[in-house]
Amino acid sequence: QVQLVESGGGLVQPGGSLRLSCAASGSIFSINPMGWYRQAPGKQRELVATITSGGSTNYADSVKGRFTISRDNAKNTVYLQMNGLKPEDTAVYYCNADLKPTGSMWYRNYWGQGTQVTVSS
């Protein structure tokens, strides 16, 4: 069974840093773009950053210059390094990826279970 498992959330003071990880597990043939989204209370889920298998990245304007997305294709893992955190970054962060399970003809979109990031003094 293919799934995405996130880790690394927590409570941090403004200006601090956190690193989120998301590992895809199961029998996977290939992975296309991987990314991070977030959802704050009372708000819609929004894109934070994405990265292709070739390393091309895309960021939301609100996190440019503070967050860095990266991936280890050998480990089927995507990371989000978050620096200069602000209270408005508080949200549940979700990993997302288009995966083709072994034996499948099709890519399917998967979501992780989410990890809470709270920025507060």
Side-chain angles (χ1 to χ4, degrees):
Q1 181 179 355
V2 174
Q3 59 180 347
L4 300 176
V5 180
E6 299 127 333
S7 60
L11 173 64
V12 63
Q13 292 187 342
S17 298
L18 281 175
R19 188 190 194 212
L20 305 182
S21 299
C22 171
S25 64
S27 183
I28 298 168
F29 181 76
S30 67
I31 306 177
N32 265 344
M34 302 183 80
W36 291 94
Y37 292 71
R38 66 186 181 188
Q39 187 166 19
K43 295 187 177 181
Q44 289 189 331
R45 191 172 298 187
E46 63 176 5
L47 171 72
V48 176
T50 61
I51 184 168
T52 68
S53 57
S56 296
T57 58
N58 179 53
Y59 294 94
D61 288 342
S62 59
V63 306
K64 282 181 181 176
R66 300 188 297 124
F67 291 11
T68 302
I69 189 170
S70 61
R71 67 190 281 175
D72 185 333
N73 290 329
K75 295 182 179 180
N76 290 337
T77 300
V78 63
Y79 306 96
L80 186 68
Q81 177 66 44
M82 304 185 292
N83 299 327
L85 282 160
K86 306 175 181 180
E88 51 263 43
D89 294 318
T90 295
V92 177
Y93 284 70
Y94 296 91
C95 177
N96 179 269
D98 288 339
L99 307 176
K100 181 187 283 188
T102 301
S104 174
M105 293 180 61
W106 313 107
Y107 282 90
R108 177 188 162 189
N109 190 255
Y110 289 82
W111 289 93
Q113 80 283 359
T115 185
Q116 177 70 45
V117 172
T118 302
V119 185
S120 176
S121 55

